[in-house]
Amino acid sequence: MKFYSLTAFALLLSTVSLAQLGEAFPDMDAESLTHQQVNVPSDLKGKYSLIGLAYSKKSEKYLKTWFSPVYNTFIHKPETPSLFVGNYDVNVYFIPMFTGVKRAAYKSTMKKVEAGIDKRLHPHVLFYKGDLKTYKKALKFSGKDVPYFFVLNPQGEVIYTTTGSHSSAKMQKIMDQVDDAWQ
């Protein structure tokens, strides 16, 4: 009996996580650590994009597991081109979301993160302050203790989602989705 319950639960989770595939990512105005305004997905159209969202302190530790692998795979540009080393032309943004009472901590947290994070990541960290319900409904996420990752096609539509800590398998699936962006 437990096996059937777990199987049904796993199928339900996979259906829920795929519910937003093919739909446009909802508009989000955010501010980078370089103090530039970015609208997701409008300012990203024309390129594949990887968007990581987190809206709780607990999800932050999982979000941080993605920084180095994502940087090394999608952001870092090799100094010397070679046959075996290329790069992806992909937009990458990590977005902490400040909603509800957490909105008051927006500026102070931004200053702490700006001082404590590698400057090479500054253009890739966006801070969002505003409503959460719109995104929870449109992107079909509910668990606040994990980050959510969305791969957008060049038209701004969600083509892949994953959650939680970084893993090689998750990274490979993301890379497979943006394979056309390899240069």
Side-chain angles (χ1 to χ4, degrees):
M1 187 67 153
K2 285 185 181 182
F3 174 75
Y4 293 114
S5 297
L6 287 174
T7 303
F9 182 68
L11 287 172
L12 176 65
L13 278 180
S14 66
T15 303
V16 170
S17 67
L18 298 176
Q20 71 276 3
L21 293 182
E23 295 180 18
F25 192 90
D27 282 339
M28 176 184 285
D29 289 316
E31 180 182 3
S32 74
L33 289 179
T34 58
H35 304 289
Q36 303 297 311
Q37 294 298 312
V38 177
N39 178 276
V40 178
S42 297
D43 292 342
L44 312 182
K45 288 192 178 170
K47 289 171 64 171
Y48 284 95
S49 301
L50 174 61
I51 308 298
L53 299 177
Y55 65 97
S56 78
K57 186 75 172 158
K58 287 184 181 181
S59 66
E60 186 179 317
K61 72 177 182 180
Y62 300 114
L63 184 66
K64 287 180 180 180
T65 67
W66 288 87
F67 286 177
S68 186
V70 167
Y71 176 82
N72 290 329
T73 304
F74 296 115
I75 298 171
H76 175 72
K77 305 298 181 209
E79 292 179 24
T80 308
S82 78
L83 180 61
F84 301 107
V85 177
N87 60 48
Y88 288 93
D89 187 20
V90 174
N91 295 308
V92 176
Y93 292 106
F94 299 100
I95 308 174
M97 302 176 77
F98 290 80
T99 62
V101 296
K102 293 181 281 183
R103 290 185 220 189
Y106 175 88
K107 286 293 182 187
S108 63
T109 303
M110 182 182 249
K111 286 181 183 179
K112 287 178 189 174
V113 171
E114 193 173 353
I117 197 170
D118 189 322
K119 289 193 183 298
R120 295 174 292 183
L121 284 175
H122 283 198
H124 303 281
V125 176
L126 302 180
F127 275 60
Y128 165 77
K129 178 172 67 169
D131 177 53
L132 181 63
K133 290 178 188 175
T134 301
Y135 302 99
K136 286 178 79 170
K137 182 178 178 185
L139 299 172
K140 314 261 189 297
F141 58 77
S142 60
K144 68 178 185 176
D145 295 341
V146 294
Y148 294 84
F149 289 86
F150 302 89
V151 176
L152 310 183
N153 65 16
Q155 293 76 38
E157 300 164 337
V158 177
I159 59 171
Y160 178 74
T161 66
T162 191
T163 63
S165 294
H166 170 270
S167 74
S168 297
K170 290 175 188 177
M171 181 62 86
Q172 186 59 54
K173 287 181 181 179
I174 291 169
M175 291 166 53
D176 291 345
Q177 295 298 316
V178 299
D179 195 45
D180 291 344
W182 177 259
Q183 299 179 337

